[in-house]
Amino acid sequence: MSGMWTYFTRRLLLVPVTFIVITFIVYAVLRITPGGPIQQLENQMRAAAAGEAGGGGGGLGGESVGLDEKARDELKAYYNLDQPIPLAYLQWLGVYPKKTRTPVTLEYRRDDADFWQQSQQLWNDYREAEHRLQQSLIDGDLLVSGDTILIEVTAADRSRFPEKLNQADQLLAGGVSSRSQLNRLLSGLGWSLSGSRFMRPITTQESGEAGIAAVCQRQLLVQEDSYRSLQQHLLPLNIEPNRNGSYYHVKNALSGILQGDFGRSFTYNKDALTVIISKFPISIYFGLIGYLATWLVCIPLGISKAIRHRGAFDTATSVLVFLGYATPGFVACLLLLVLFGGGSYWNLVPLGGFRSPDWNQWWQQGQYLTCAIDQIKHTLVPMFGYLVGSFASMTVLMKNSLLDNLGADYVRTAFAKGLTERRVIYVHALRNSLIPITAGIGHFLGLLFAGSFLIEKVCNIPGMGLLGYESIIRRDYPIILATLVIGVLIRLTGNIFSDLIWALIDPRIRFK
Amino acid sequence: MAMEPKTNPPSKSAELLLQIKDLHTSFSVEGQTARAVDGVDFDIHAGEVLGLVGESGCGKSVTALSLLKLIPDPPGCIEKGSAIFKGRDLLSLTYDEMRSIRGREIAMIFQEPMTALNPVFTIGFQMREAIQHHTGVSKQEAIGRSVEMLEKVGLSDARARMSSYPHQFSGGMRQRVMIAMALSLEPALLIADEPTTALDVTIQAQILELMLEMKEQQQGASILLITHDLAVVAETCDRVVVMYGGKIQEVASVRQLFRQPKHPYTQGLLRSLPRPDLDRKQEQLETIPGMVPNIFDWPKGCRFCTRCPLVEDRCRTHEPALKKVGEGHEVRCHLVNDEDGGDS
């Protein structure tokens, strides 16, 4: 047994090495591949400009559209693309400090004195920055210059903006729901709206749920020029406003995947890990069901084929196997959707998705049967796709494995003992031939989490596969890399898990 | 093990245990037919050890497997013949009747002890399953019987070793387990297919001695010992059947075979044995020149004509019949005269 532990310890120690090699290669390739986030942004701008130019009679025609050099540099710095690849990799890994921007929501408990003391220094900085901002606002520095600043005001901010905020408070008491209403309110105050954020007063329910007496929350939407002047105010304090108007505290620190920081998704603007984890249950659901279906079909089929090797049944099902081998799973899904998805033929299954939009409602109303039927209908087509995808290889593996064992010497011994054919096949040979299939369970783990993006795309399942695919198209580096990290870790540990299973089910395996 | 070649061929009156007549077994491979066993007749008497000798591919293992209908079908096929065992023709038994013979009446042990035991089940499991299957005794009784058998074949600490797996045993130990397993139901006939070939020389003698010892304990049991090793034959067998090219070439008692081999093939086999007891130093061991002919296309005449040093024209065209040349001594050769002691 000690040999086994040495073996697995050694295998585990190899995991980080393999992990670093794989992630570094992918990281470097990603950085080298053209079409990064900045280029994507420029493409979008170009497309938008082209659209406008078409609509407006070609007023902007010929003018080059894109980011100026300075904006591009800023963006590069923001995405950490200004560092050389090896350094950036180390920073991503979290073993070399990088300039981190911690978003700061100015939200605190006013009645909680401890909190103030605990983070006194940071808060002093913020409060000074806030103070300067307020001064600027009240003195009219920024407003006078024609800039527009939108401040989200909460009830608790009253004391800080004594006069105008009182007015705002009165006006906002009823809540703001539409942009035009907001514009009206703001113009009454002599302010105007910029960007697309809504102003929102805190509701009593919210403050109750959060357990806080009052919330001071503000977001600044800043135009280009005022962004610069804000910067001048805030940079000496290591606080950097971004274009969305959030506060960031900037410092050099270790912040990579080792610290659990997978970065923020460019497209979802959320923590990459959070985005991925939200997709897990869906992929696991379909992966597990698909794999179970594969086992339930392929193992009995493989056994029957091996027993009737070269018989009529074997030949007939071989046609199926070849058909399955030649048909990718997603094509089978497409075919089924065309036939049964309610187009020209039958309307038996929905066109895709995880559940119907009303599912949660049905569930709350206690219509569990409806829920179950709906879930099954949504499951059938993808399950079939997964089944087709691994049908051929699994069936042939099972058949060949059993066939090999049926020809083994120990099977002849078992027959010579006078055992029944059933016992020889299902006890002696089957136990041996299931070993390679059971040991594939580690690979299956990887499959579970990864999903098949083509099937997910065709069946419109919002799972891991689709997420990975879309993030590659959008060059959403944090998501791509986070998917990679999770995938690599699952596969590496999955392989070790396979070995462990193998050692458990095959008494011959010994580790020396 | 200083066993003299046995001198007493069983008398005609000895009870006939198995009588094989005109056995033909062939294999079809890609449209061609390999006549692996091509008309074999011999008897096994109760209590005797019969050696079945020949080179690889001569059909000796196929003969044995045919008796228990263990020939994989397809591609194999027992075409005709009969094997009368205790009054019943083994070859025309139904599948279920055959199963009740296998292991219980006729047991078999194989050449490769390394692979002949199922690697994923314990020795105990494999020992007791046949006992339970045939006798329907309880698990405890079957375990008791298994332990008893393992002790008989010389396994120390037998009860503890019941829970070991085959890979935890050496080759010799595994063959002991195979013997214990085969003899646990006291079969009337034990077919041993090259039981010592895969073992170290030092272990070989132990295993052979064990087999004979076990046979002595079971009164009336016979052994069909398949081997290519004439030394093994000399030490263990009462009578010998020499096969070549799917046919029997010579049948004799051990004494007759070693003293007066009649068939040129048998003579060749004996000459190719190292003989340290002879005075003259052999520079090189003699061999039988040439190769076994293609199994898909046996020679038209005598099967041995392609390699026989004494070959004549008629050997190439006409197949010789099996001729009786003495008491219990038959030879298939044109050059041997009936009831003639001449050594061609």
Side-chain angles (χ1 to χ4, degrees), chain A residues 358-368 371:
Chain A
D358 297 335
W359 202 87
N360 283 325
Q361 204 183 321
W362 295 336
W363 186 262
Q364 277 161 16
Q365 288 166 1
Q367 299 174 3
Y368 300 121
C371 286

Side-chain angles (χ1 to χ4, degrees), chain A residues 177-198:
Chain A
S177 58
S178 75
R179 202 180 170 112
S180 53
Q181 189 190 2
L182 180 68
N183 269 327
R184 259 198 324 277
L185 292 172
L186 286 171
S187 60
L189 293 168
W191 294 358
S192 62
L193 179 74
S194 159
S196 57
R197 301 261 162 158
F198 285 91

